[in-house]
Amino acid sequence: MAAANTEFTPLITTELLHEVVSTVPDTWLTNEPGFTTTTDVRNAYITHLTARAKASTHWLPTEFPPPTDRTDRRRG
């Protein structure tokens, strides 16, 4: 997880988030309390996601349970 975070977090740029958020249909973003336009909602998402990416080391899990032995499971 840490290696993936180190590798991929720099790729999450404001430009990339603008591109991704621009694909969300306007109808999904209308009538959001506290926002006047869909552009305002998009910008809020971009701001939030940028902050999450920059702070990922603070919220990503660092400990994981050991993998379970799945050799006795059969696929149906």
Side-chain angles (χ1 to χ4, degrees), residues 64-71 73:
F64 300 91
T68 59
D69 181 8
R70 298 173 192 238
T71 56
R73 290 189 176 176

Side-chain angles (χ1 to χ4, degrees), residues 40-56:
D40 293 340
V41 178
R42 281 187 171 82
N43 288 336
Y45 273 114
I46 292 164
T47 299
H48 174 74
L49 294 170
T50 300
R52 290 282 291 172
K54 287 181 180 179
S56 61

Side-chain angles (χ1 to χ4, degrees), residues 10-37:
L11 302 176
I12 303 172
T13 63
T14 303
E15 293 78 19
L16 174 64
L17 292 172
H18 272 284
E19 184 179 335
V20 171
V21 172
S22 73
T23 66
V24 176
D26 283 348
T27 56
W28 292 7
L29 305 173
T30 57
N31 300 320
E32 279 295 317
F35 298 96
T36 306
T37 67

